[in-house]
Amino acid sequence: MTNALTISSRGEKRRTATAAARRRARSARPPWEEPPTAVGQAAKGITLGGTLAVILVPLYIIVLTSFSTPGAINRAGGLVIWPDGLTTETYRQMLGDSTIVTALGVSLGIAVVGTAVSMVVSVLCAYGLSRSRSLGHRFILMLLIITMFISGGLIPSFLVVTGLGGYGQWWALILPGAVSVFNILVLRSFYQDTSSELMDAARMDGAGEWRILWSVVLPTSRAVTAVTALFYAVGYWNSFFNVMLYMPTESQKWPLQYVLLTYVNRANGLPGSVNAGFGETHAQTAPLSLQMAVVVLTLVPLVIVYPFVQKHLRTGVLTGAIKG
């Protein structure tokens, strides 16, 4: 029993010493780096605090205004800075409106389907271009790069999509912008530096290109894949311009961002709500609070998804951009 306690105590001390050594290694400065000065530390704190304030203060005002009553918005003269007469009536009416609920479902569907289509095309294209033995990969790569600097323009794109029968169709909101050449180049540069030893070992075991892509390349490039998927998802979620082009009159197909655009630009109220003015006590929902509530609703999915991908941002973007 005594020997077991002694061994356990030694193991605990060893783990403690190892953890302390790791903390010292992380905090140790390179010999060429000077110790921080008080002025430098203060400047960093002020800079970070100012940046944080620029980001959080507008969000705070938007959220607070969305929960404010018409009277509070009237007294504040617009956006509310200090809490005054908070209510959830705007959100109850907004979530009870079929237009908002349908638009939210449309946006989620476009983001999910569009991201899946874009990732499949981008990953396959990037992997093919990363293999030096693939047929015509240099010519195809040059064509893709040219499209980054030269495009046909808005009118030819509109004529092509409408000529293919895309006016008023769901695919017109996805396929015209399904591929980003920049994302393909980032993925390609990352795939080019995938360990050739792993690929050769997989080929010796009888794996084909599809198996190598699925079992070797993708597992070793989770960071850049996650970041690319995030870029595509955010792009689809925030997109509204294609709606203006291909389905401007079909409100049942509008995504949430286009509904937000109509509410902000036209100050529309919810169907059936009473918007008699900020100063009227019987007004249930102020147009400004409705606009801010829709803005908050558009931000919620991104706020939920971002923490799961944030750890991959620096690794994926910087590594993929620096390589090759």
Side-chain angles (χ1 to χ4, degrees):
M1 184 68 179
T2 304
N3 292 336
L5 291 175
T6 303
I7 294 174
S8 176
S9 177
R10 289 177 180 175
E12 184 65 27
K13 290 181 179 178
R14 189 179 300 110
R15 286 191 294 270
T16 303
T18 302
R22 290 176 178 173
R23 286 194 297 269
R24 288 194 298 270
R26 286 195 298 265
S27 61
R29 294 179 175 276
W32 61 83
E33 186 174 347
E34 298 180 357
T37 62
V39 176
Q41 291 291 83
K44 290 180 182 178
I46 294 173
T47 302
L48 291 176
T51 303
L52 191 63
V54 170
I55 296 173
L56 293 182
V57 170
L59 291 177
Y60 160 78
I61 294 176
I62 289 173
V63 173
L64 184 60
T65 304
S66 68
F67 282 101
S68 298
T69 61
I73 296 176
N74 187 37
R75 288 189 293 271
L79 296 174
V80 180
I81 300 178
W82 303 107
D84 180 18
L86 300 181
T87 180
T88 59
E89 182 64 26
T90 301
Y91 285 93
R92 284 198 295 267
Q93 293 192 23
M94 180 182 67
L95 296 178
D97 176 36
S98 60
T99 302
I100 296 292
V101 176
T102 302
L104 180 60
V106 170
S107 291
L108 290 174
I110 291 175
V112 172
V113 176
T115 301
V117 171
S118 297
M119 286 303 299
V120 169
V121 176
S122 298
V123 167
L124 294 180
C125 182
Y127 179 72
L129 294 176
S130 67
R131 303 300 97 196
S132 58
R133 293 173 297 176
S134 58
L135 179 63
H137 73 283
R138 291 188 179 276
F139 175 72
I140 296 175
L141 179 61
M142 289 299 104
L143 288 181
L144 291 176
I145 293 176
I146 289 174
T147 62
M148 296 180 64
F149 306 99
I150 301 175
S151 64
L154 178 61
I155 295 178
S157 300
F158 177 81
L159 293 177
V160 169
V161 174
T162 54
L164 295 175
Y167 193 85
Q169 302 298 318
W170 294 109
W171 65 263
L173 306 181
I174 297 175
L175 294 185
V179 179
S180 169
V181 178
F182 173 79
N183 290 337
I184 291 177
L185 295 180
V186 172
L187 291 171
R188 172 182 174 272
S189 64
F190 200 96
Y191 294 165
Q192 280 182 320
D193 287 340
T194 302
S195 175
S196 58
E197 290 79 6
L198 290 176
M199 292 181 151
D200 293 338
R203 290 191 179 95
M204 292 178 63
D205 290 337
E209 295 297 335
W210 290 100
R211 184 69 176 176
I212 292 173
L213 173 62
W214 183 259
S215 301
V216 177
V217 176
L218 289 180
T220 59
S221 57
R222 290 191 182 96
V224 69
T225 303
V227 172
T228 304
L230 176 64
F231 286 167
Y232 277 127
V234 172
Y236 282 115
W237 180 259
N238 291 329
S239 176
F240 63 88
F241 186 70
N242 283 351
V243 184
M244 301 173 63
L245 292 178
Y246 304 120
M247 51 181 62
T249 60
E250 302 183 45
S251 59
Q252 71 277 7
K253 295 184 179 181
W254 287 354
L256 190 60
Q257 298 293 344
Y258 194 70
V259 173
L260 170 63
L261 178 67
T262 60
Y263 283 170
V264 171
N265 284 351
R266 305 172 190 173
N268 288 345
L270 294 175
S273 63
V274 181
N275 290 312
F278 291 156
E280 300 293 335
T281 57
H282 61 276
Q284 297 178 3
T285 304
L288 184 59
S289 66
L290 172 63
Q291 296 168 17
M292 296 302 104
V294 178
V295 171
V296 172
L297 185 61
T298 60
L299 294 176
V300 167
L302 300 181
V303 173
I304 295 174
V305 173
Y306 181 80
F308 297 98
V309 188
Q310 186 273 337
K311 63 181 180 179
H312 299 300
L313 280 176
R314 184 176 64 178
T315 303
V317 174
L318 294 184
T319 304
I322 292 173
K323 288 185 177 183

